[in-house]
């Protein structure tokens, strides 16, 4: 094992093939505990495939993949207990109230009634939303839905939370608030693994990897990437990599 | 277990908060029983006929009055020429014209035979068939009477008794079929739609990433529909009993047991459909075409299986409702016990096992 205890995700030579198509070609990277790790790439670059493998939704064709200390092929159930997930499609139930959604998701992660109550109150107070617990999700604007979905994803205090394009379709102000939540979450000890195609958001991450055609072409802090590619922002870095 | 209960609770929220779902679950079944029971009926009653009597003698008068007093027919008009026959059909009210040849009674006496022509509007073949056979029946009765008067009691007498449905009530046909239809609708269609909805909205992915096992997710989705379908079956049997006077001659426990078996079968079909459809619309479409049509057309619900072309008869053997309907008819009307319906029960059980195995396989393949 290459896991020396400081990495929460360890991936070595991960390959995923669908028939003759190679979606992920020998991916190798590590994510440190408590880090905000950005997973960048154009649509179709293989981000979602890799993310699904890390979450135990899909099996790798070959390679070594460890999440939270467990092998994804052999112990997906152990991993599922220790991760949180928020998909790009919005994931709360529209016809349930805010509180019912929290109770439901807390329940399927095996939280006790007391824990569910405490966590719901704590998270909703952080959002200054605790007075509106009885509102149906359907009645809320998208930005609020997304912030609530994120709160639900970290409700059971996972070791790492996977966010799949969490800010898609959200206005800039809400995106800022969302990233504030991500920072708070990371500083409370939860590792954040986030995919995005907003290049400005990549600047908020501690380290980013850039995927092109199923391969990781660059992986470093935003600052050193900009330096290395002599670019003023990540968007320029991305374009330079994609053109090669 | 606690996780599972929370899941079921959530499912009930979905059902009870959606007015349309509730209507499909409880409004449609009740409406269907009443519609099928009242509107669709095999019996003929007050069918309008015309009579073209070219003889107008004692015998033709007697036959006419026998036909008209049977309760099946109403005299629309008397015709006085051959030319009037077609316009009468074209006007659309008259279903049958009875034609007596000239000198009817005279010929009957001198030659020993006379001819009555029955002309029916066969643009609706079913009704034409029935109308003609009812009329011929009445005429035969009369002929028999005539023979007996002349030759004493030498004739053969037929006595008819309609076992298990003495009044030849249409509801006996349709209530079992409606149960099959409603259980298919509620169990298979609603389950497949509700699972497809989780997929469509992106919730399924979140559930699959959670510690819940796929089998728990499926059972959680299906469980509420088992309960609701069962309630529905009971409502329909109850309605059939109260409104149409359907008996339950066999064991009620066996009847409910067979219902549960069929519900499980329908649910496993529903799960299978949901594994191949990614949206609610697709799920609904497949359900409607793969389940509703065969249930109505090929199960013996409306059209007798014995009258179908052989190919369709074979096809009807793989339709679960066929066996279900046959089993509950036997239990309700003939009072049959398990020994008499073991064939149906075995086939339904085998089908259930098959569909559950198929959907589990499909479901795990999808996860790869």
């Amino acid at each position: 094992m290459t896991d020396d205890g400081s990495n929460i995700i360890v991936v070595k030579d991960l390959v995923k093939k669908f028939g003759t198509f190679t979606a992920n070609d020998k991916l190798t990277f590590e994510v440190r505990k408590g880090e905000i790790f950005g997973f960048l790439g154009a649509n179709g670059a293989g981000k979602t495939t890799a993310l699904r493998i890390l979450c135990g939704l899909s099996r790798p064709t070959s390679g070594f993949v460890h999440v939270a200390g467990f092998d994804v092929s052999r112990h997906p159930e152990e991993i599922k207990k220790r991760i949180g997930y928020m998909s790009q499609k919005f994931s709360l139930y529209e016809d349930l109230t805010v509180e019912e959604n929290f109770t439901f998701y807390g329940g399927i992660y095996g939280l006790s009634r007391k824990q569910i109550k405490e966590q719901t109150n704590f998270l909703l107070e952080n959002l200054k939303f605790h007075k509106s617990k009885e509102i149906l999700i359907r009645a809320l604007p998208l930005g609020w839905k997304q912030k609530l979905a994120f709160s639900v994803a970290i409700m059971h205090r996972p070791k790492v939370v996977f966010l799949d394009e969490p800010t898609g379709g959200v206005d800039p102000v809400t995106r800022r608030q969302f990233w504030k939540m991500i920072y708070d979450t990371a500083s409370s000890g939860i590792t954040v693994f986030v995919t995005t195609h907003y290049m400005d958001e990549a600047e908020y991450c501690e380290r980013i990897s850039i995927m092109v055609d199923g391969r990781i072409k660059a992986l470093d802090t935003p600052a050193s990437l900009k330096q290395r590619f002599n670019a003023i922002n990540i968007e320029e870095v991305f374009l330079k990599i994609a053109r090669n | 277990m606690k996780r599972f209960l929370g899941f079921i609770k959530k499912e009930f929220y979905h059902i009870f908060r959606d007015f349309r779902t509730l209507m499909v679950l409880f409004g449609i079944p009740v409406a269907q029983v009443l519609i099928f029971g009242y509107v669709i009926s095999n019996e003929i009653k007050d069918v309008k006929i015309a009579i073209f009597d070219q003889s107008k003698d004692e015998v033709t008068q007697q036959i006419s009055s026998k036909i008209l007093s049977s309760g099946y027919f109403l005299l629309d008009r008397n015709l006085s020429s051959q030319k009037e026959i077609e316009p009468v059909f074209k006007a659309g009210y008259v279903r049958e014209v009875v034609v007596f040849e000239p000198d009817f009674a005279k010929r009957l006496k001198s030659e020993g035979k006379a001819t009555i022509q029955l002309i029916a509007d066969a643009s609706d073949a079913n009704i034409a068939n029935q109308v003609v056979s009812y009329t011929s029946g009445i005429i035969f009765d009369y002929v028999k009477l005539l023979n007996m008067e002349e030759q004493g009691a030498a004739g053969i007498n037929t006595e008819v008794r309609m076992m298990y449905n003495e009044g030849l009530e249409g509801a006996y046909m349709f209530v079992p079929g409606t149960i099959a239809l409603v259980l298919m609708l509620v169990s298979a269609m609603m389950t497949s739609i509700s699972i497809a909805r989780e997929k469509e909205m992106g919730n399924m992915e979140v559930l699959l990433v959670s510690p819940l096992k796929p089998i728990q997710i499926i059972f959680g989705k299906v469980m509420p529909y088992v309960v609701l379908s069962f309630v529905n079956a009971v409502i329909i049997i109850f309605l059939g009993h109260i409104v149409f006077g359907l008996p339950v001659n066999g064991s009620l426990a066996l009847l409910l047991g067979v219902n549960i078996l069929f519900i499980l079968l329908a649910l496993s079909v529903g799960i299978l459909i949901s594994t191949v459809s990614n949206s609610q619309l697709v799920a609904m479409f497949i359900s409607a075409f793969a389940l509703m049509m065969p249930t109505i057309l090929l199960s013996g619900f409306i059209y007798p299986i014995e009258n179908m072309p052989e190919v369709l008869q074979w096809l009807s053997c793989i339709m679960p409702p066929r066996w279900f309907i046959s089993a509950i008819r036997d239990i309700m009307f003939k009072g049959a016990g398990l020994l008499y319906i073991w064939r149906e029960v075995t086939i339904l059980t085998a089908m259930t096992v098959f569909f559950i195995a198929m959907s589990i396989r499909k479901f795990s393949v999808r996860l790869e």
Side-chain angles (χ1 to χ4, degrees):
Chain A
M1 293 240 290
T2 47
D3 191 354
D4 61 357
S6 66
N7 291 328
I8 191 86
I9 299 173
V10 181
V11 177
K12 244 182 154 177
D13 295 333
L14 164 64
V15 175
K16 176 70 182 182
K17 289 184 177 172
F18 295 103
T20 53
F21 172 70
T22 308
N24 289 160
D25 192 1
K26 293 198 172 172
L27 303 189
T28 298
F29 62 93
E30 283 115 33
V31 178
R32 297 184 201 119
K33 276 182 184 161
E35 182 173 40
I36 300 175
F37 188 86
F39 206 56
L40 274 65
N43 288 331
K47 280 178 300 175
T48 304
T49 307
L51 188 79
R52 288 174 64 87
I53 291 172
L54 291 174
C55 294
L57 278 179
S58 170
R59 306 265 178 275
T61 309
S62 68
F64 176 92
V65 184
H66 265 217
V67 176
F70 292 93
D71 187 301
V72 285
S73 302
R74 272 180 293 169
H75 303 289
E77 301 312 316
E78 293 301 319
I79 292 174
K80 285 177 179 178
K81 282 182 209 161
R82 292 169 174 79
I83 61 171
Y85 174 76
M86 179 188 164
S87 77
Q88 53 190 342
K89 274 195 198 169
F90 167 70
S91 57
L92 298 180
Y93 290 99
E94 300 263 327
D95 52 351
L96 263 55
T97 66
V98 174
E99 191 178 23
E100 281 161 357
N101 267 294
F102 274 81
T103 308
F104 171 67
Y105 279 110
I108 64 174
Y109 279 95
L111 267 55
S112 72
R113 200 166 295 177
K114 193 166 150 257
Q115 285 172 314
I116 290 176
K117 212 167 174 184
E118 281 170 6
Q119 279 293 75
T120 306
N121 287 337
F122 172 74
L123 290 164
L124 288 181
E125 256 163 57
N126 276 352
L127 288 175
K128 300 191 174 50
F129 203 78
H130 52 285
K131 285 191 188 115
S132 319
K133 286 195 284 199
E134 310 295 325
I135 293 182
L136 289 182
I137 295 293
R138 187 188 289 144
L140 294 171
L142 183 66
W144 271 112
K145 289 179 186 173
Q146 240 125 338
K147 282 189 272 187
L148 288 167
F150 180 61
S151 299
V152 165
I154 56 170
M155 190 178 171
H156 58 292
R157 304 284 315 155
K159 293 228 172 1
V160 48
V161 61
F162 293 93
L163 308 174
D164 191 6
E165 314 224 340
T167 53
V170 174
D171 64 273
V173 178
T174 312
R175 264 167 67 192
R176 249 210 153 72
Q177 292 170 340
F178 199 91
W179 274 92
K180 165 102 178 29
M181 286 177 75
I182 291 180
Y183 271 110
D184 290 347
T185 306
S187 62
S188 79
I190 297 175
T191 309
V192 179
F193 185 102
V194 54
T195 75
T196 182
H197 56 233
Y198 290 115
M199 293 306 153
D200 57 326
E201 283 190 345
E203 309 261 3
Y204 302 140
C205 301
E206 283 166 51
R207 287 194 308 149
I208 54 176
S209 78
I210 297 179
M211 255 182 109
V212 178
D213 294 336
R215 288 184 199 173
I216 293 181
K217 294 281 175 141
L219 195 167
D220 213 331
T221 62
S224 11
L225 281 177
K226 279 187 279 190
Q227 203 179 20
R228 201 166 101 207
F229 287 91
N230 193 18
I232 44 162
N233 55 30
I234 296 296
E235 183 153 5
E236 206 183 326
V237 173
F238 183 77
L239 289 175
K240 281 184 173 168
I241 292 173
R243 275 186 198 135
N244 286 331
Chain B
M1 196 58 202
K2 224 191 82 199
R3 293 174 185 183
F4 188 59
L5 288 180
F7 199 102
I8 291 180
K9 194 169 152 198
K10 179 214 79 165
E11 211 48 45
F12 274 112
Y13 283 143
H14 289 321
I15 295 169
F16 287 115
R17 281 184 190 169
D18 185 18
F19 180 70
R20 277 177 302 178
T21 310
L22 274 182
M23 278 309 289
V24 173
L25 282 178
F26 294 106
I28 290 182
V30 171
Q32 271 180 340
V33 179
L34 297 178
I35 289 172
F36 281 126
Y38 276 122
V39 180
I40 304 180
S41 139
N42 281 345
E43 306 137 57
I44 49 175
K45 212 176 133 194
D46 296 346
V47 173
K48 293 205 169 109
I49 60 168
I51 294 176
F52 179 29
D53 190 347
Q54 302 172 76
S55 177
K56 292 213 173 72
D57 55 46
E58 186 196 347
V59 180
T60 60
Q61 300 281 335
Q62 273 179 11
I63 294 178
S64 298
S65 76
K66 251 191 125 51
I67 291 174
L68 294 176
S69 62
S70 65
Y72 302 129
F73 304 106
L74 281 182
L75 181 66
D76 187 72
R77 67 188 72 175
N78 277 301
L79 306 181
S80 48
S81 87
Q82 193 81 33
K83 274 184 254 159
E84 287 176 48
I85 294 177
E86 232 195 308
V88 150
F89 281 126
K90 282 201 174 140
Y93 302 109
V94 169
R95 294 287 187 182
E96 183 189 46
V97 175
V98 182
V99 184
F100 295 97
E101 65 176 344
D103 303 325
F104 191 87
K106 231 184 264 172
R107 282 190 199 201
L108 194 62
K109 261 206 180 120
S110 59
E111 298 168 30
K113 59 178 185 186
T115 310
I116 302 175
Q117 191 182 16
L118 300 179
I119 306 170
D121 173 4
S123 55
D124 187 331
N126 278 338
I127 291 187
N129 249 329
Q130 272 178 314
V131 164
V132 167
S133 71
Y134 274 55
T135 324
S136 348
I138 295 167
I139 297 169
F140 272 121
D141 265 1
Y142 180 79
V143 172
K144 221 164 59 189
L145 219 70
L146 223 68
N147 288 344
M148 270 165 44
E149 274 172 16
E150 285 178 7
Q151 304 164 4
I156 294 170
N157 209 1
T158 48
E159 207 173 82
V160 179
R161 190 182 154 208
M162 293 298 177
M163 288 268 279
Y164 312 123
N165 181 5
E166 305 272 352
L168 282 176
E169 303 274 356
Y172 279 54
M173 260 308 259
F174 292 113
V175 168
T178 311
I179 300 179
L181 190 63
V182 166
L183 292 186
M184 271 289 179
L185 183 80
V186 173
S187 311
M189 188 157 138
M190 297 304 283
T191 333
S192 65
I193 290 177
S194 91
I195 296 178
R197 177 167 69 178
E198 300 260 355
K199 283 206 235 170
E200 194 177 333
M201 306 301 271
N203 300 108
M204 193 51 105
E205 232 170 29
V206 181
L207 294 176
L208 288 172
V209 173
S210 82
L212 279 177
K213 295 190 175 66
I215 195 110
Q216 285 177 311
I217 298 174
I218 293 298
F219 269 97
K221 297 286 312 175
V222 158
M223 211 49 156
Y225 291 101
V226 173
V227 176
L228 294 173
S229 306
F230 186 71
V231 170
N232 258 319
V234 172
I235 290 178
I236 297 173
I237 294 170
F238 182 73
L239 265 184
H241 188 67
I242 296 292
V243 181
F244 301 109
L246 289 204
V248 180
N249 291 327
S251 131
L252 189 61
L254 181 61
L255 180 63
L256 296 180
V258 172
N259 271 290
I260 291 175
L261 178 60
F262 187 68
I263 289 169
L264 292 178
L265 172 56
L267 289 171
S268 50
V269 174
I271 297 170
L272 188 61
I273 290 175
S274 72
T275 59
V276 295
S277 41
N278 281 316
S279 74
Q280 298 179 67
L281 205 67
V282 175
M284 202 161 89
F285 223 65
I286 299 180
S287 302
F289 276 92
L291 301 177
M292 295 302 134
M293 301 304 277
T295 304
I296 295 173
L297 299 177
L298 289 177
S299 64
F301 171 18
I302 293 177
Y303 307 109
I305 294 167
E306 292 78 4
N307 294 357
M308 294 174 188
E310 203 164 341
V311 184
L312 291 186
Q313 288 196 28
W314 280 102
L315 204 57
S316 85
C317 288
I318 57 168
M319 299 295 155
R322 173 190 171 158
W323 305 106
F324 172 68
I325 291 174
S326 151
I328 58 173
R329 272 185 191 158
D330 284 354
I331 299 171
M332 287 176 77
F333 309 141
K334 299 187 193 166
L338 191 54
L339 265 178
Y340 291 90
I341 54 163
W342 67 268
R343 198 170 62 130
E344 282 86 352
V345 171
T346 312
I347 290 171
L348 288 173
T349 311
M351 284 176 167
T352 311
V353 171
F354 171 76
F355 282 120
I356 288 179
M358 281 282 286
S359 32
I360 289 176
R361 228 191 100 203
K362 277 264 173 200
F363 203 81
S364 47
V365 167
R366 210 177 60 80
L367 282 181
E368 278 306 305

